[in-house]
Amino acid sequence: MKRYIISLCALTVSPLLMASIASASQDSQSDFSIALETGMERDSQLTVEEIDQYEAASDMATHLQFEAEGDWQATSRLALKGGYHYTSKSYQDNEDFDLDIGRVFGDVSYDFSVLTVGANQHKIDAKLAGDGFLDMTRTGFYAGKLFANSFYLRAELLDIDKRFDNLSDRDASGDSVATDGYFFFNQGLSFFSLGIEQEEETAQVEHFSYDATNYRATFAHEFNWLDKRNRLKLNGRYSSRDYLGIYPEIEESRADTKNSISLTWDLFFTDHFSMITRLEQTDADSNLSSADYDATQLSLIYRLDI
């Protein structure tokens, strides 16, 4: 993901969590988990998209991540979830692109049999090059329905508030509506999904405001090979973003399109220790020259689930 930052804005429900719905127990229970990741990532293009910071240079980065999550199935219908994630990406030669993200979140859902409804909130604090960068609050309201233990349909309304430490012109509020469908097979361990999202963001300065349409598709398949559990995931995304007002650098309204495709291979050495290999290619087209580029990212990450 050469545009590493703001996977902040892509904090939707994990498809792997969706897969667990098909086999989840209805008994009251609780669970707590911790996960650690470490590895290296090679980026061919350095990018901080939220502030249009680009550099046509390749660099190697150290990846570190910590996750702590708790789940409580309070009743057969009421579920609570919360946690904290911290991610750090530090480049060898380009410290201006070093990014640290802390995220605390909570989620509550209730199963009405006909429909499961819920709400969540994410508080995100991002630091760039060691300095304060961005505070974001993301609030979501969603509804989902599982059909015949093989198809899950989910819709979500999102409200997002962004506050930049040193760039108040880019402070913004946004709304979006997203719909995703998941088709499960292989006893719920593999799936295919399609999604669409309509997004609107209003910034303090008009030419940073935009309307966007985002499409996404994922295919994931889990299998055994060489007596080890493996998972392959192919993910594609396409977005079209139209900015409002006249962008000063180009003296016209800015327009961006972006498509990316990634292939991820998870190799589970044990139930708790795995290796994640990921290759991603992104093609970004824009009438703003600095935002018009092609990029490749290769990642090798080791993960420990406790």
Side-chain angles (χ1 to χ4, degrees):
M1 302 178 351
K2 53 137 222 16
R3 24 180 210 99
Y4 179 77
I5 180 165
I6 304 223
S7 53
L8 299 182
C9 295
L11 296 172
T12 54
V13 170
S14 165
L16 296 179
L17 177 61
M18 293 293 98
S20 70
I21 294 173
S23 58
S25 170
Q26 293 300 310
D27 297 330
S28 176
Q29 59 183 347
S30 62
D31 186 36
F32 180 77
S33 63
I34 292 176
L36 303 171
E37 290 185 1
T38 183
M40 301 296 293
E41 299 182 359
R42 181 74 177 182
D43 289 309
S44 67
Q45 167 85 29
L46 305 182
T47 306
V48 182
E49 292 190 354
E50 290 292 320
I51 57 173
D52 295 324
Q53 180 174 318
Y54 305 97
E55 184 169 341
S58 62
D59 202 353
M60 187 75 74
T62 301
H63 166 91
L64 297 173
Q65 184 164 301
F66 168 80
E67 301 175 7
E69 294 187 3
D71 296 273
W72 180 33
Q73 190 73 40
T75 70
S76 62
R77 296 182 181 274
L78 177 65
L80 303 172
K81 182 177 181 178
Y84 175 76
H85 289 192
Y86 172 78
T87 303
S88 174
K89 188 172 185 179
S90 302
Y91 286 97
Q92 291 183 349
D93 300 322
N94 294 273
E95 296 180 355
D96 289 344
F97 290 84
D98 290 353
L99 184 65
D100 298 285
I101 301 171
R103 174 170 65 97
V104 60
F105 70 94
D107 184 287
V108 57
S109 62
Y110 192 86
D111 182 5
F112 288 96
S113 296
V114 176
L115 203 65
T116 297
V117 298
N120 55 50
Q121 187 171 83
H122 300 257
K123 294 281 191 178
I124 300 144
D125 174 51
K127 297 184 183 302
L128 183 64
D131 296 325
F133 171 51
L134 172 65
D135 293 309
M136 180 188 297
T137 301
R138 172 195 176 279
T139 304
F141 302 93
Y142 61 88
K145 175 67 176 178
L146 180 66
F147 299 90
N149 287 331
S150 60
F151 176 66
Y152 189 81
L153 183 64
R154 186 179 190 275
E156 185 171 25
L157 297 174
L158 300 174
D159 178 79
I160 297 174
D161 182 75
K162 298 178 182 179
R163 292 293 178 264
F164 292 86
D165 284 44
N166 299 309
L167 296 167
S168 59
D169 286 354
R170 291 180 179 266
D171 289 351
S173 59
D175 300 288
S176 72
V177 56
T179 303
D180 293 271
Y182 299 86
F183 306 83
F184 299 106
F185 58 99
N186 189 25
Q187 297 181 329
L189 298 176
S190 303
F191 70 90
F192 173 72
S193 70
L194 291 171
I196 183 172
E197 178 183 19
Q198 295 287 340
E199 182 183 6
E200 180 180 292
E201 182 167 295
T202 303
Q204 291 295 314
V205 174
E206 186 182 29
H207 65 261
F208 293 130
S209 303
Y210 63 82
D211 297 326
T213 303
N214 307 309
Y215 302 92
R216 48 187 174 252
T218 300
F219 173 77
H221 181 59
E222 191 165 313
F223 59 97
N224 288 322
W225 180 56
L226 299 178
D227 295 324
K228 301 293 183 184
R229 178 179 159 215
N230 292 259
R231 182 169 57 229
L232 289 176
K233 183 164 67 173
L234 181 65
N235 181 271
R237 297 179 64 90
Y238 175 83
S239 66
S240 176
R241 182 180 291 186
D242 293 317
Y243 287 81
L244 308 181
I246 302 300
Y247 212 84
E249 293 183 37
I250 55 178
E251 298 182 344
E252 63 179 326
S253 296
R254 179 177 166 183
D256 294 358
T257 62
K258 183 175 300 178
N259 62 79
S260 64
I261 186 168
S262 65
L263 179 63
T264 304
W265 172 35
D266 298 335
L267 173 59
F268 296 86
F269 299 108
T270 71
D271 289 340
H272 301 284
F273 182 59
S274 60
M275 180 179 71
I276 304 168
T277 306
R278 181 182 299 112
L279 175 64
E280 181 167 14
Q281 176 66 40
T282 298
D283 178 22
D285 294 312
S286 175
N287 55 351
L288 178 65
S289 60
S290 60
D292 189 271
Y293 59 87
D294 296 328
T296 302
Q297 183 197 66
L298 180 62
S299 307
L300 178 62
I301 297 169
Y302 291 94
R303 180 181 174 93
L304 177 64
D305 290 280
I306 303 172

